[in-house]
Amino acid sequence: MGLVTACVFADFGNTVRVIGRTPEKIKKLNGGDPLIFEPGLQEILLRNLENGNLKFTQSYDSVGESKIVFIAVGTPSLEDGSADLSQVKGVASKIAKNLGSDFTVVSCKSTVPVGTNLEVEAIVRENAPEGAKFAVVSCPEFLREGTGVSDTLYPDRVIIGSESQEATDLLLELHAPVGGKRVVTDLASAELIKYAANSILATKISFANLIAQYCEKTGANAEVVLEAVGFDNRVSEKFLNVGIGYGGACFPKDVKALAYIGKNLGLDTGLLDGVEEVNFNAKSRFVEKVLRIFESGGDGGASATKKKRLAIWGLSFKPNTDDIREAPSRYILERLLSEGFGLSVYDPEAMGHIKAIFGDKLRYADDKMKALDGAEGLLILTEWNEFEGVDLETVKKALSKPIVVDGRNIFEPRKMKKLGFKYYSVGRRDVK
Ligand code: UGA
């Protein structure tokens, strides 16, 4: 988020200095390596390194010359579901110590619980030089991984939570080239908007996955049901795709944090707890389905799985990113390995990250067809475009049994039946 925001603001002609703490990363970034896979990002990075608008550094010196300083550090989940604010607070005090004599906006883009920016303000006040003029503002962002650049250029809304008119005006000016509605509000509302926005999207996904369970029990088709529900424009068809649940660095963390905040406020958070529970069930039910299918494959019970090898397509938490944080694939791989399956995996971008965690427990294929070679079935965990367009006849030939268990519903059951596959998907009738 920090990198994409920095690149886009530099591209508008602003002078942007990005402060990081890891020298190797800073070196790579200054050399034009964006470190993450994000469509369109490298181009903007290179362009703005070249024209001098953008520079990466460890030094806080540039704070003193900046009109606006964004905080864009991580707020990961702690054991109890609360957000770890140590990085936000740590950088707030460093920013404070480096403030210059002109008015500076300290704008928090990190997702933080209600009240945090008042704490940030107190930290800045405590550490700032005598007489420093500043305002702390909440400016949450809504970009998605994989479409980060266009989401930053064309957001649905820009939220500015501020008690200072001068700060609000500076942020409105900075955002002038981007689209979307403007919501200028108080700090607490801005902080809550971010959690509420992510939580309602996660709620839609879990609701869809719950309806998928009803469909599997009754023979109804989840895609038809949810599409029809989404035709009501009060609902909208977006974020009702069923599958193996949401992952990533945002939804799981933010739903847990909102529930945690609610419990501390003495509120009933059953709805949010349920969203998380259904999301966990989406991936665990997928594993149970795989066990049922491959343990009843005609050659015995659980012990027979020991020798079975399955191919897996897709490891990132969603397509067009190499991110595997909270990816459903990680849980599914762990469970299947512990059940004794051999797994050949393939993902267009996320292989390196998975290898760093699973090491030699998995076989890594350098292309999707190699992963299939002789496997007894194919599992699809991420809906990359290259899987949707695959030649299914070739897939069938490469597998030792024509079994596909699709966690993202990328194929049409009728077509799969015609081609002679046994095809299992989510919330739709199985093809056997
Ligand atoms: C999410 C929000 O969509 C952004 O608006 C927000 O700025 C961001 O979090 C954040 O807080 O930084 P992101 O996590 O990048 O963005 O990805 P999404 O496209 O929202 O997908 C999240 C997860 O939900 C993925 O695992 C995806 O596969 C899953 N999903 C999404 C579904 O299972 N079904 C759907 O219909 C949509």
Side-chain angles (χ1 to χ4, degrees):
M1 176 265 281
L3 178 61
V4 173
T5 307
C7 286
V8 169
F9 284 144
D11 217 33
F12 291 152
N14 298 293
T15 302
V16 182
R17 297 293 173 255
V18 186
I19 306 168
R21 59 178 171 185
T22 318
E24 307 86 73
K25 287 190 182 177
I26 291 168
K27 196 169 162 211
K28 283 189 183 164
L29 287 160
N30 277 325
D33 175 355
L35 304 173
I36 50 166
F37 174 75
E38 186 64 43
L41 184 60
Q42 186 163 36
E43 231 169 82
I44 310 185
L45 173 68
L46 288 170
R47 185 161 63 232
N48 288 283
L49 285 169
E50 208 161 288
N51 65 21
N53 285 352
L54 191 59
K55 206 182 236 169
F56 298 84
T57 170
Q58 256 189 304
S59 154
Y60 277 70
D61 287 351
S62 55
V63 167
E65 295 142 32
S66 300
K67 284 187 178 172
I68 303 169
V69 182
F70 284 107
I71 297 179
V73 293
T75 52
S77 284
L78 291 170
E79 280 284 299
D80 58 4
S82 64
D84 177 356
L85 299 174
S86 55
Q87 295 183 59
V88 172
K89 292 180 181 173
V91 299
S93 97
K94 288 189 191 151
I95 291 166
K97 287 178 186 138
N98 289 277
L99 285 175
S101 49
D102 292 340
F103 178 76
T104 313
V105 182
V106 179
S107 172
C108 187
K109 274 205 170 286
S110 303
T111 302
V112 292
V114 179
T116 304
N117 282 307
L118 284 179
E119 285 184 60
V120 169
E121 189 165 42
I123 293 171
V124 177
R125 193 170 305 288
E126 208 173 288
N127 292 281
E130 184 94 15
K133 294 180 288 250
F134 69 91
V136 172
V137 168
S138 169
C139 187
E141 56 72 40
F142 302 93
L143 65 86
R144 290 160 298 172
E145 289 183 34
T147 50
V149 173
S150 61
D151 286 349
T152 307
L153 288 170
Y154 312 106
D156 291 328
R157 71 296 217 196
V158 173
I159 309 293
I160 300 171
S162 162
E163 318 289 342
S164 151
Q165 192 58 49
E166 195 175 356
T168 303
D169 290 344
L170 274 168
L171 282 169
L172 286 172
E173 192 189 327
L174 178 72
H175 287 88
V178 311
K181 297 207 162 88
R182 270 46 177 168
V183 180
V184 177
T185 183
D186 56 274
L187 273 180
S189 300
E191 290 168 332
L192 200 53
I193 284 168
K194 172 68 189 194
Y195 281 109
N198 272 359
S199 296
I200 197 163
L201 292 172
T203 303
K204 283 188 83 171
I205 298 168
S206 278
F207 181 81
N209 282 326
L210 180 63
I211 294 298
Q213 292 178 32
Y214 280 81
C215 291
E216 286 180 15
K217 293 275 182 204
T218 59
N221 182 330
E223 302 219 315
V224 176
V225 172
L226 291 161
E227 187 183 35
V229 170
F231 283 154
D232 182 334
N233 60 22
R234 291 170 302 177
V235 178
S236 115
E237 76 278 25
K238 291 182 187 145
F239 278 71
L240 286 177
N241 296 323
V242 300
I244 49 175
Y246 58 76
C250 305
F251 287 174
K253 159 178 87 74
D254 292 349
V255 173
K256 281 193 199 91
L258 189 60
Y260 179 88
I261 296 165
K263 287 188 180 79
N264 276 347
L265 293 170
L267 304 177
D268 175 358
T269 60
L271 176 65
L272 296 169
D273 300 336
V275 168
E276 269 289 288
E277 194 181 320
V278 173
N279 194 53
F280 177 77
N281 289 343
K283 54 192 176 189
S284 66
R285 287 171 61 86
F286 183 82
V287 173
E288 304 309 329
K289 192 180 284 185
V290 171
L291 296 181
R292 269 199 314 275
I293 294 164
F294 291 96
E295 286 180 12
S296 61
D299 49 358
S303 62
T305 64
K306 296 255 181 308
K307 292 194 185 76
K308 284 186 180 161
R309 188 163 59 79
L310 303 178
I312 296 200
W313 281 1
L315 302 166
S316 55
F317 82 98
K318 66 174 202 174
N320 297 322
T321 175
D322 60 350
D323 198 340
I324 58 159
R325 286 176 289 177
E326 299 277 335
S329 67
R330 290 169 64 169
Y331 170 87
I332 293 167
L333 293 176
E334 287 287 2
R335 286 273 321 266
L336 294 178
L337 284 173
S338 74
E339 294 287 343
F341 286 94
L343 304 173
S344 299
V345 302
Y346 170 75
D347 185 282
E349 296 294 336
M351 299 280 273
H353 296 312
I354 286 287
K355 206 169 186 174
I357 295 172
F358 287 88
D360 58 11
K361 290 193 209 153
L362 304 170
R363 277 205 219 171
Y364 302 91
D366 13 306
D367 78 59
K368 56 181 179 292
M369 297 321 262
K370 283 193 191 143
L372 302 179
D373 208 10
E376 296 203 25
L378 166 64
L379 315 185
I380 298 168
L381 306 187
T382 316
E383 67 278 32
W384 285 91
N385 274 345
E386 67 170 88
F387 303 154
E388 292 180 35
V390 76
D391 175 14
L392 287 162
E393 289 287 3
T394 321
V395 171
K396 203 172 126 197
K397 277 192 205 120
L399 291 168
S400 69
K401 287 186 183 158
I403 304 175
V404 175
V405 193
D406 183 354
R408 300 291 185 177
N409 288 6
I410 67 175
F411 299 125
E412 262 305 307
R414 239 178 304 165
K415 186 176 171 196
M416 295 302 275
K417 185 172 187 172
K418 224 165 149 192
L419 287 165
F421 280 97
K422 289 186 177 184
Y423 179 63
Y424 304 83
S425 54
V426 183
R428 303 186 295 187
R429 280 189 203 173
D430 297 333
V431 170
K432 295 183 199 166

